[in-house]
Amino acid sequence: MELITFISGIIREALAKKIILSIFLFFSLIILFIVFAATNDSVAGMLTFLEASGGNADYRSAVIFFESNITSKIPMFMMIAFYLIIVSSFIPSMLQKGHIDLLLSKPISRTKIVLGHLLAGTAFAFLSSLFLLGTIWIIVSVKTGIWHVPFLYSIVWFTFIFLTLYSFVILIGLLTKNTILNILINLILFFPFSWIFYLLNEVTKKGEQFFSFNAVTEFIIKFFYYILPKPWDLADLCENSIKGESLGSVQPIITSLLFIGIMVSLSIWYFNKKDY
Amino acid sequence: MSVITIDNLKKEYSSRNFSAKKILALDGVSFEIGEGEIFGLLGPNGAGKTTLIKVLLGITFPTSGSGKLFDKDLNDVKTKTRIGYLPENHSFPNYFTGEQVLHHFGKLSGMSSEDVKLKSAEYLNIVGMKEWAKVKIRKYSKGMMQRIGLAQAMINNPDLIFLDEPTDGVDPIGRKEIRDVLLNLKSQGKTIFLNSHLLSETELICDRVAILNKGKLIKEGRVEDITSTDSYAFITSGLTDEVYNSLMNNYKAVIQSRNNFLIPANNLEEVNTIIDFLRSKNIMIQSVSKEKITLESKFINLIEHKL
Ligand SMILES: Nc1ncnc2c1ncn2[C@@H]1O[C@H](COP(=O)(O)OP(=O)(O)OP(=O)(O)O)[C@@H](O)[C@H]1O
Ligand SMILES: [Mg+2]
């Protein structure tokens, strides 16, 4: 009960700061753009592109290719970065002097407060993605006549990618109590940090024929690769699942879940022992 | 039954800069507060009053020592449904209206939606903020914020209420109203823990007070007992600096204005010694009268002279 009130408090804050309104307007713009972009001409363009690159392409796979581009790495980065910027202020604003004291005097445990933030943020990312990607899917499907349901998996993937990074936003928010610092640290982690290790790891995977690191360097790369969140690997998995291909290695899912678990545990542990 | 029990509570803050120096905000504080009492905690700025409330509410953790609220551990979350709290310099989310503040924090205290609706109207009325219920609190004055804060602290019908400087920024009439609200709560058997600088006010409503200085409890007891020593008010003319200092240092005088001071004394002998002293310095005495010592002058005496 108190947890629900607490979460609704976060949502109200987002409403009051016009966050939800600005997301709605921003996403509506993107959708409008898609309405004009998703014409038969552009699908035909995809088709020629696919044929030129030597696939045995049909109309359906051209639509799917178009859809997988919408959720490819760059749009994914922009969307998730946008979410992260928004949620970065939630924890610092809760920790304001005169407010946190009152909150902690209420019958809601500190652990629940952290979990409340986790839930509220996740719900926020899920609903925003549902709105944006869901609407895009409907528009593309209506325009092309191809209803490719696996595109909707991207909503879950995006929420999951968001969650891995968000768990770190919570921890850094608690540690720094500062929105700007929180945004900076998290965006740098997202890009270029985790991206560099994603690329380096790709090189170590494919490498042997044309390039290889020495053992020590490779160990260091693997070490950072495994402990950092893996939004870029997950974006690959997202693409695979939209195209209906096999996912490939599930390692990024498992290590990301571990990362979330560790970040949330650290946040709960730190918040539970901190004086306010 | 005792509502609050604390035993040898210590709280050490590491100071903000990098020096290893620690700030001892609470230095072995012990006391008990019984059901239905209005307890006033007094002390100069930085004495540790707010820290003590925060420790009791589990907002800050003690370095050592222990405490209990309603015989439960300080970290017990359930107990907090029975508690109301008005923090010092509270800042509610400013996009709320007064009414929404009460709804939000009422529900966080475990009240149902219907209950909260009913009670918020009642308490807005009690603190005189009915007309302001639907106005965003960013438009409130300081005193209005304080009133909403007070309503917030009472809305869940708590058995124990912590108020950190409740009359801060409130006008004299408002202060009187708040006093009446507190006395009314007391008549309902609530226990009230009050932090205040305004001693004349504390004197009017508190059953028992404790004086905290530099983290130590230097005096604790019923208001009547603390103020029971007599004091003599002197009005003089031509007081020199030398005499002034000597009155302060040797006779524990409480200076009210240049030629007007109080001397705590329990017998005439002492009073006459001072008269002799003043006369020997050629100070003219206009009047000497016996007065009941106020909590304020006792307080100043305790803090300045460690009486
Ligand atoms: N978070 C903190 N970190 C470090 N020191 C602190 C912290 N909070 C309080 N202190 C120190 O603890 C001491 C007691 O502070 P506290 O706020 O309890 O005083 P107070 O009696 O409430 O004062 P006031 O009458 O001004 O409200 C002060 O010396 C203060 O500097
Ligand atoms: Mg204080």
Side-chain angles (χ1 to χ4, degrees), chain B residues 39-263:
Chain B
F39 183 87
L41 186 63
L42 318 174
N45 293 129
K49 305 183 295 294
T50 300
T51 304
L52 182 56
I53 289 191
K54 285 186 175 181
V55 168
L56 287 172
L57 287 170
I59 299 164
T60 289
F61 301 105
T63 311
S64 69
S66 66
K68 283 198 159 32
L69 295 183
F70 300 107
D71 271 332
K72 297 264 168 47
D73 205 68
L74 294 181
N75 296 319
D76 189 87
V77 173
K78 278 248 161 51
T79 319
K80 293 180 180 171
T81 50
R82 301 178 63 186
I83 289 173
Y85 174 39
L86 171 66
E88 165 183 57
N89 305 323
H90 57 268
S91 75
F92 301 125
N94 66 6
Y95 44 83
F96 277 147
T97 64
E99 197 174 41
Q100 286 168 338
V101 166
L102 299 190
H103 285 187
H104 183 71
F105 289 102
K107 282 200 211 153
L108 273 181
S109 299
M111 297 172 74
S112 70
S113 297
E114 304 84 65
D115 239 19
V116 134
K117 284 222 173 65
L118 221 72
K119 290 284 173 191
S120 66
E122 181 185 333
Y123 281 102
L124 280 165
N125 204 12
I126 289 177
V127 298
M129 290 291 293
K130 210 162 91 184
E131 292 96 272
W132 291 84
K134 307 252 186 258
V135 178
K136 290 248 187 318
I137 60 168
R138 68 166 76 96
K139 295 186 182 158
Y140 283 12
S141 72
K142 184 159 192 221
M144 293 175 177
M145 283 295 276
Q146 210 61 16
R147 285 161 187 252
I148 280 293
L150 187 65
Q152 175 279 130
M154 301 187 294
I155 190 162
N156 57 332
N157 194 21
D159 297 319
L160 169 62
I161 305 177
F162 290 94
L163 303 170
D164 204 343
E165 323 257 350
T167 53
D168 187 26
V170 180
D171 62 40
I173 296 172
R175 288 210 293 272
K176 164 87 171 62
E177 286 169 8
I178 289 178
R179 280 203 300 275
D180 292 342
V181 170
L182 298 187
L183 289 173
N184 185 33
L185 287 172
K186 178 184 156 69
S187 72
Q188 295 167 28
K190 313 283 189 199
T191 310
I192 300 172
F193 188 111
L194 186 71
N195 272 4
S196 184
H197 295 298
L198 294 172
L199 296 145
S200 49
E201 234 173 71
T202 318
E203 193 169 9
L204 284 175
I205 52 172
C206 289
D207 303 311
R208 214 149 57 92
V209 296
I211 297 174
L212 198 64
N213 190 27
K214 297 189 180 137
K216 280 199 163 76
L217 215 55
I218 53 177
K219 191 99 186 171
E220 192 248 290
R222 305 190 62 77
V223 177
E224 305 91 271
D225 299 340
I226 288 186
T227 56
S228 66
T229 33
D230 288 327
S231 72
Y232 291 83
F234 282 75
I235 299 178
T236 58
S237 54
L239 208 64
T240 59
D241 279 348
E242 182 210 341
V243 177
Y244 185 90
N245 287 334
S246 152
L247 281 171
M248 286 265 290
N249 298 332
N250 304 336
Y251 297 99
K252 326 250 183 258
V254 177
I255 310 294
Q256 302 198 303
S257 66
R258 183 73 194 198
N259 280 299
N260 178 353
F261 52 90
L262 290 170
I263 307 274

Side-chain angles (χ1 to χ4, degrees), chain B residues 6-11 24-31 64-65 212 215-217:
Chain B
I6 57 176
D7 187 25
N8 201 17
L9 220 50
K10 285 195 178 142
K11 175 66 196 178
L24 205 52
L26 293 176
D27 188 5
V29 179
S30 313
F31 59 72
S64 69
L212 198 64
K216 280 199 163 76
L217 215 55

